[in-house]
Amino acid sequence: MSTDPSPPPAPHPAPPAAPTAFGPALARHAWRLSGRVVAGVGQLLLWVLTGAGRLLRPLGRRLTAKLTGGPAPAPGVTATAPLPRWTNAWAEVAGSWYFAPLTGLALAVAALAELAPRVASPLSLAGAFAVASTLPLIWRREYLRPVAATALGAFAAGLLTGQTLLITTTLGALYTLYALGRQLPRQSAGMLAAGAAATVAVVYLATGTLDDVPWPAAVVAVLAAIGLGDARRTVETSARTEAAAAERTSETLTRLTAVQREQAVMRERARIARELHDVVAHSVSMIAVQAETAPYTMDGLSPQARDGYAEIARTARDALVEMRRLLSVLRADARAEPESAPQPRLDRLPELLDQHRGAGGRVDLAVRGDARTLSTTVELSAYRIVQEALTNARRHAPGAAVHVDLAYLPDRLEVRVSDGGADARTQVLGRPAGPAGRTRVEGPAGSGHGLVGMRERATMLGGRFSAGPATEGGFVVAADLPLDREGTPARDAPR
């Protein structure tokens, strides 16, 4: 018995064809095109207004001279009272909270006043449309979109019902379009312009309300209002972006300046430490040598005294090793190598003054008090301060007369270096005159910051430092360096 074969399986249905993307693509391109048209119209109108303002600027200066009662200000010079006061007062009023309610109410009253000669009573349909087209602008800052929908809808409804076209309601409608163009994104502003142009076309086709106005003028007015708002939004956005970028740049420069100053201070401290290493190392070496030789030069020392001297010598040698390690760390962070020559003292100050005179400078030295030998650290700091100040004077006031004053007081050493500013010959040559801008000065080896280094040297000793323009002109550097102990017997003062 044969059985019927099973029917073949039904073929799978073909997938439906993908819907064409022509419609969405067309809408998207139309959206973008409308935004570009509005932006182009707005930029063109802004360019025309800017050009007209530049052409009328001479007339504005003459008008300012008439209003202020004085001569016309030169180009680029801001005029004084009373016109600028009026302008500033208007700007303050326009930015106040009561500006929008006041102008909206004034526009509504003006619309009713303009409508009064044309109707028997303001309590009519025409009066209702006039009020609805203007009075909502009181709340335009808080609720722009609902206010715009109400005002523009009332204005369009009044035109479609054949109401009389009023100048005040027209200005209110154009301002509303301008405010929307200033707030909406560009594509949305483009669609708003397309909708407004379509509304104008419907009004022309359905009624004769706008027969006295050429339709190109109406369309251009609508596009110009929205485009000018878009252009204003673009300018404000660009200004805010530039202001934010300038603020970020200023913050970055401030942080960079702080970092550079901190690095300069660290470099100066490292350089000062390397200089003081020679002084301290010499003293510690003398301690070690004397402690080691004491048992051989002194008779009758007890074993305990010999052990004490040996411990002193061993401690001094260990201190020298640790100081060398510390100096190696300082050298690793600094490019400049420490000077190989002995660290200078105030007895070498005349040589420094001769070097300044050899470079074309004028300098004199005055010493007050009893000149005496001070600690090496104090004299080294005083010498470096004078050296940095002379370098500062040569760079910023070439040719100026420099006065160096040293005052030996019982508890401190006063150092004062002053110059009278660049002379007339230097000013004629076009070089920088006076102490202006003297904030960053290279040190003697070209590796430091002069004012920073001088301040660090005075602070290291617990003293005071000041530098700045003098009241009688020029620049003054002053430092008070306290003395830890009385100076040793007098010596010949530097001259």
Side-chain angles (χ1 to χ4, degrees), residues 169-195:
T169 57
T170 303
L171 292 177
L174 292 177
Y175 177 80
T176 305
L177 292 175
Y178 165 80
L180 284 174
R182 188 175 175 181
Q183 188 180 89
L184 295 176
R186 177 160 294 174
Q187 287 76 11
S188 300
M191 294 307 297
L192 175 65

